[in-house]
Amino acid sequence: MIRNRGCNIIVSQSSLLRWVILLIFVVGYALTFDRFGMLQGRYALYSILSLLACALLLSKLKKFDAEYIAIWLTFVVLVATQYVRFYWLVLDPSFLKNMLTPMGWNALTDVNAQIAGFELLTISFCVICISIFLYIHFWKDALSRADVQDASDEFYRSVAYILLTLSIVLLVFLGYFALKYHIGQMGYVASEPLPYRLAGIIHYGRLVALPGTMLLFIVVAHRAKRQDLVRVGLMLVLIHGAVDVLVRSSRGAILFALISLVFLTAVKGFKLLRFEKITIVVIGIVGLFFIPLTHQYRVFHLSGLDVPASLLALNDMHWNISQIFVDAINFAYFRLPGIEMPIAIIGDGGQPLGDKAFSVLATPNGLADYLTYAVLKFPEGSPQSFAPSFLGWFYLMGGVYAVIMGSVVISVVVTVLWKKLAQLPLFTLPVAQTFFLLLLFAILTEGTLDTLRYQALVMIVSVIGLEMLYRISARLIK
């Protein structure tokens, strides 16, 4: 009876979410259709197509199943960062006024550019929805997970202590060297290059390998039935996020840590109890409030102050709590690139690169620098750098045809590739799946596929390394 009741609750929640998502399209169109004058017919057509594609896919997504996690993530991110952002942009574009040049601002408010951007979004969204629908309807079969040999609680506990020790050592040493040599620090250009690519190893070690080790520690502690160790792991992940704020001046480090934990829970790496749920919500709220403070901390740190002096300078400032809250919400939502980038690209006259794409991708910052300086016309060397978003990246690479191809690829990734990953006989599978979702999230928002390839490679190497570490530990313990 209890199991049936739980299933009914999950089904009712997914049904409610489907209706809310459909309502977003209807309400968004109702609030914005009169802003397009003679272009209302095109806007109505694209809106109907988007609504129908949405309803088509939702007819197959009737529950929050493990096999559909990547699909749900793709679907929700596209709706939140593309459609909701488009309606917001049409109603009140002021949130972007101080981010772009006057030419970029004019592009965002140009009705023709808005319709062209919405057309591009509609094409991509329809391709993704139809492709996933066809996969689920015709080719999907039952998900068969590879069995990983179980072990005793004592064995898992021994492995957990090994991972805990390794996590603490990496946290201290990588954090120290990153702080000493300004590795990965926002807005700072390192003046002392380290030999043997050590700077890159330290940076990606802190960005990927260290969080992966901590996540695996949580998984092992959960299998050892040691909730106290699980809580230690949660604290380590959050401490790493806080250290990242101090070392790299990263405003989203704590929120990124929380997202990692949410994804790990979604793939059943561990189970959140009531205490952990409350803790994560509270820390999430606190993390939001720290975003404006972190921005000011970065300013002090870049001016030459060390970490203690920067923190003291923050304490001496007078802060408006309500303004901090507003700034935090704006950053958490508008920091993620969305529909505004392809609109700005089209409005500024940005053309698909075609044959020139390879030479642009060969530069250190790739398409992001091309977008910032060549398309948006920011002065060379200015500190701004804009990510093109998922749509903007493919459009700049090859126009509408590239957007269609990219949408098909994303559909394959979140269906076929996600399923193949779930079938691998890896003990570290929850960590691998969490990395997959984090990378997918970055692709759908930032869209900087050319630079994300390094992060993807490090994620693969980290999972292989953690799997080897676990297997070696298993042999030594047994």
Side-chain angles (χ1 to χ4, degrees):
M1 294 294 292
I2 295 176
R3 181 179 297 179
N4 290 337
R5 182 181 178 185
C7 292
N8 290 335
I9 292 174
I10 294 175
V11 172
S12 63
Q13 288 176 341
S14 61
S15 299
L16 178 61
L17 179 59
R18 291 201 301 273
W19 282 110
V20 169
I21 292 175
L22 290 173
L23 193 61
I24 288 174
F25 288 86
V26 176
V27 173
Y29 173 76
L31 292 174
T32 56
F33 77 94
D34 59 343
R35 304 295 179 99
F36 293 98
M38 300 296 293
L39 300 174
Q40 283 187 15
R42 289 176 61 188
Y43 184 48
L45 174 62
Y46 301 148
S47 298
I48 292 172
L49 291 175
S50 298
L51 180 63
L52 291 176
C54 177
L56 181 69
L57 180 55
L58 287 177
S59 68
K60 292 296 182 180
L61 296 179
K62 296 182 179 179
K63 57 181 178 178
F64 298 117
D65 190 82
E67 189 173 359
Y68 297 148
I69 292 174
I71 297 175
W72 271 112
L73 175 63
T74 302
F75 189 72
V76 171
V77 168
L78 288 179
V79 172
T81 63
Q82 304 291 339
Y83 284 97
V84 174
R85 189 79 60 83
F86 179 81
Y87 301 135
W88 197 318
L89 174 66
V90 173
L91 293 172
D92 180 19
S94 61
F95 66 89
L96 288 168
K97 189 167 187 178
N98 296 325
M99 291 178 58
L100 300 174
T101 61
M103 185 180 298
W105 168 251
N106 291 333
L108 283 178
T109 54
D110 180 71
V111 175
N112 291 302
Q114 290 176 351
I115 283 294
F118 194 72
E119 179 184 29
L120 200 66
L121 170 59
T122 302
I123 293 172
S124 174
F125 188 71
C126 289
V127 169
I128 290 175
C129 289
I130 294 172
S131 299
I132 296 176
F133 172 85
L134 292 175
Y135 168 81
I136 296 175
H137 187 75
F138 291 106
W139 295 294
K140 174 190 167 297
D141 52 2
L143 175 64
S144 58
R145 292 179 178 271
D147 293 330
V148 178
Q149 186 175 1
D150 206 359
S152 64
D153 294 349
E154 291 77 12
F155 167 76
Y156 286 133
R157 185 167 61 248
S158 299
V159 176
Y161 283 125
I162 294 174
L163 292 170
L164 175 60
T165 303
L166 181 60
S167 297
I168 294 174
V169 170
L170 290 176
L171 177 65
V172 173
F173 278 91
L174 292 178
Y176 168 77
F177 287 110
L179 180 62
K180 179 178 176 61
Y181 294 102
H182 305 283
I183 297 173
Q185 182 175 321
M186 304 296 182
Y188 189 94
V189 179
S191 57
E192 302 179 53
L194 299 179
Y196 309 112
R197 299 184 182 273
L198 287 177
I201 294 174
I202 293 171
H203 175 66
Y204 283 109
R206 294 192 70 255
L207 192 67
V208 179
L210 175 55
T213 305
M214 294 176 175
L215 295 177
L216 182 59
F217 166 65
I218 294 173
V219 173
V220 175
H222 174 68
R223 296 199 176 189
K225 301 180 178 63
R226 289 289 302 271
Q227 193 62 26
D228 56 335
L229 291 181
V230 171
R231 291 175 179 175
V232 171
L234 298 179
M235 288 180 56
L236 279 175
V237 173
L238 297 174
I239 289 173
H240 173 59
V243 170
D244 220 32
V245 171
L246 297 177
V247 172
R248 298 179 56 238
S249 304
S250 173
R251 290 179 288 179
I254 294 179
L255 296 181
F256 180 81
L258 291 175
I259 291 174
S260 301
L261 294 175
V262 170
F263 287 164
L264 186 64
T265 306
V267 298
K268 302 186 184 331
F270 76 108
K271 185 176 181 181
L272 282 175
L273 301 181
R274 186 170 182 270
F275 174 80
E276 286 77 17
K277 291 178 182 178
I278 295 174
T279 301
I280 286 181
V281 170
V282 171
I283 293 178
I285 295 173
V286 173
L288 278 176
F289 274 91
F290 266 92
I291 289 172
L293 303 182
T294 306
H295 174 73
Q296 191 59 48
Y297 166 81
R298 182 192 299 179
V299 173
F300 288 139
H301 202 28
L302 290 175
S303 68
L305 298 179
D306 57 15
V307 172
S310 299
L311 293 175
L312 288 175
L314 277 180
N315 187 55
D316 294 336
M317 295 187 66
H318 300 287
W319 295 95
N320 185 308
I321 300 299
S322 59
Q323 187 59 46
I324 288 179
F325 180 76
V326 172
D327 291 343
I329 296 298
N330 284 338
F331 173 84
Y333 181 59
F334 296 117
R335 166 64 179 80
L336 301 175
I339 188 63
E340 70 277 359
M341 295 316 299
I343 291 177
I345 291 170
I346 294 172
D348 271 334
Q351 297 295 321
L353 288 166
D355 295 338
K356 300 178 182 178
F358 297 102
S359 59
V360 171
L361 295 181
T363 60
N365 292 320
L367 211 63
D369 275 1
Y370 176 80
L371 169 64
T372 304
Y373 304 126
V375 179
L376 299 181
K377 307 299 190 299
F378 276 86
E380 289 284 346
S382 58
Q384 293 94 341
S385 182
F386 290 89
S389 81
F390 167 72
L391 282 178
W393 193 90
F394 280 104
Y395 178 76
L396 281 177
M397 288 293 292
V400 177
Y401 294 112
V403 170
I404 294 174
M405 291 179 59
S407 302
V408 172
V409 170
I410 285 293
S411 304
V412 173
V413 166
V414 301
T415 52
V416 179
L417 189 57
W418 173 258
K419 182 177 179 179
K420 295 298 182 183
L421 175 63
Q423 293 173 334
L424 294 178
L426 299 175
F427 181 86
T428 56
L429 181 60
V431 178
Q433 290 178 309
T434 300
F435 280 167
F436 182 100
L437 294 176
L438 288 171
L439 191 63
L440 177 63
F441 182 77
I443 290 172
L444 293 173
T445 52
E446 301 273 340
T448 51
L449 280 76
D450 47 318
T451 54
L452 284 173
R453 68 182 186 274
Y454 300 115
Q455 188 170 334
L457 178 61
V458 176
M459 285 180 172
I460 294 172
V461 172
S462 298
V463 169
I464 294 174
L466 290 171
E467 185 71 22
M468 292 176 61
L469 175 64
Y470 169 79
R471 294 177 185 270
I472 293 172
S473 300
R475 290 183 180 180
L476 293 176
I477 294 171
K478 290 181 178 180

